Amino acid sequence: MRKWVEATGKTVENAIENGLKMLGVSKDKVEVEIIDKGSKGVFGLIGARPAKVKLIIKKDYEAIAKTFLRDVLDKMGLKCEIQIKDEDDILKINLVGPKMSVLIGHKGETLDALQYLLSLVINKDNEVNEFKKVLLDTQNYRKKREEALIKLANRLAYKVKRYNKSITLEPMNPYERRIIHSALQNHPDVITYSIGEEPFRRVVIDLKNKEA
Amino acid sequence: MKELVEVIAKALVDNPDAVVVNEICGEQSVIIELKVAPEDMGKVIGKQGRIARAIRTVVKAAAIKANKRVIVEII
């Protein structure tokens, strides 16, 4: 499905260069797989083998993401700027424009839905091991939500300790549950775990030492 | 609204040409019927209807502006 070529040359570098010429692209657009490092042989005569490499054109995630989002946002009647950067192997996308609250939705539900659809679109035809993560954000919503959840976690942890009773939170997605778990990970008095099945999985905050 | 469903569906399936979207307008609500190739059904429904739910959520958000209720049906 993906475009690739095999190329040979005196050295690995030569082979890569030849391959890039065949594809007509620059080196940052391909993945290089070395098939044979080659060998100069004895006196350059006996047993000499050329180096052999395979060049695979990288999928342009940014372009795919941009086209899809632009189409969808146009049809939703939203005008906004799409900022994309590839950081730590995650495609981070920020949308800037007016009326972004429509896009976030109730508790980020619309933003999450769009992010999920986007991840399906860019990972289409990908093997399982090359799954590309995406993070869709607007107006710094993710950061604000994270802060709100950490505050909530700490407030509830205090309540659990004070009233000696466990508290079950409302259903949340894995990403949000993780924030709660890690916020209370090193808390001296409470522990956290999750119960229920997706998409209704909930975090429970409980006392560490029940007898105490 | 119809185009929105079409854009999303076409991006998800393997046979974009087989995607057909019909819009039936009522007074307050709009029913959008989405048809895809049989082998692509899973691509628009997803495990436990997760993809279908995501499509409905996005369409619902778009419909808020138009002040209409939109029902997306996959047939």
Side-chain angles (χ1 to χ4, degrees), chain A residues 68 71-73 75-78 99 102-103 109-110 112-114 116-117 120-121 124-125 198-199, chain B residues 1 3-4 7-8 10-14 43 48 50-51 53-55 57-58 60-62 64-65:
Chain A
F68 176 69
D71 271 0
V72 169
L73 294 167
K75 299 290 182 269
M76 286 176 87
L78 292 169
K99 290 192 194 153
V102 177
L103 205 62
E109 148 186 276
T110 311
D112 285 339
L114 194 58
Y116 177 57
L117 292 175
L120 290 174
V121 171
K124 202 172 151 188
D125 305 325
E198 293 285 0
Chain B
M1 221 57 69
E3 291 98 337
L4 178 61
V7 164
I8 297 174
K10 282 194 172 168
L12 292 171
V13 299
D14 289 331
K43 296 236 155 111
Q48 315 240 306
R50 195 170 163 206
I51 302 173
R53 193 162 57 233
I55 296 175
T57 307
V58 172
K60 210 159 59 182
I64 292 174
K65 277 174 83 181

Side-chain angles (χ1 to χ4, degrees), chain A residues 39-48:
Chain A
S39 158
K40 279 184 188 139
V42 185
F43 307 121
L45 290 169
I46 310 152

Side-chain angles (χ1 to χ4, degrees), chain A residues 12-177:
Chain A
V12 170
E13 282 74 42
N14 273 155
I16 294 175
E17 241 171 71
N18 289 339
L20 292 176
K21 261 183 217 152
M22 284 156 78
L23 289 168
V25 295
S26 57
K27 195 168 178 219
D28 56 318
K29 293 273 188 290
V30 295
E31 273 165 47
V32 180
E33 219 176 88
I34 297 167
I35 297 171
D36 191 344
K37 279 188 183 158
S39 158
K40 279 184 188 139
V42 185
F43 307 121
L45 290 169
I46 310 152
R49 280 177 290 133
K52 205 175 188 187
V53 294
K54 184 174 175 183
L55 303 182
I56 309 157
I57 292 200
K58 278 189 202 162
K59 211 163 156 186
D60 193 350
Y61 291 111
E62 291 190 21
I64 301 169
K66 209 163 202 162
T67 319
F68 176 69
L69 280 175
R70 180 61 72 207
D71 271 0
V72 169
L73 294 167
D74 265 357
K75 299 290 182 269
M76 286 176 87
L78 292 169
K79 286 193 180 71
C80 69
E81 192 197 327
I82 304 170
Q83 300 167 343
I84 303 186
K85 54 182 174 182
D86 203 333
E87 230 177 59
D88 318 321
D89 258 340
I90 301 174
L91 204 60
K92 292 185 177 168
I93 304 172
N94 189 30
L95 303 174
V96 185
K99 290 192 194 153
M100 286 297 108
S101 58
V102 177
L103 205 62
I104 296 172
H106 180 62
K107 286 187 181 157
E109 148 186 276
T110 311
L111 197 61
D112 285 339
L114 194 58
Q115 176 178 295
Y116 177 57
L117 292 175
L118 180 63
S119 83
L120 290 174
V121 171
I122 68 167
N123 285 301
K124 202 172 151 188
D125 305 325
N126 271 16
E127 304 287 332
V128 185
N129 58 6
E130 49 181 7
F131 188 84
K132 184 82 180 169
K133 268 190 165 178
V134 272
L135 196 67
L136 189 62
D137 198 2
T138 180
Q139 292 178 333
N140 223 355
Y141 173 79
R142 302 269 181 219
K143 183 88 194 133
K144 280 188 210 154
R145 179 83 179 143
E146 188 184 334
E147 279 163 12
L149 285 171
I150 292 172
K151 262 191 205 160
L152 174 81
N154 285 317
R155 206 167 59 232
L156 291 179
Y158 172 76
K159 268 194 179 171
V160 167
K161 193 185 153 197
R162 180 156 176 193
Y163 299 111
N164 236 344
K165 236 167 99 181
S166 73
I167 293 177
T168 309
L169 277 69
E170 60 187 286
M172 287 175 192
N173 62 34
Y175 176 76
E176 296 192 344
R177 287 200 310 274

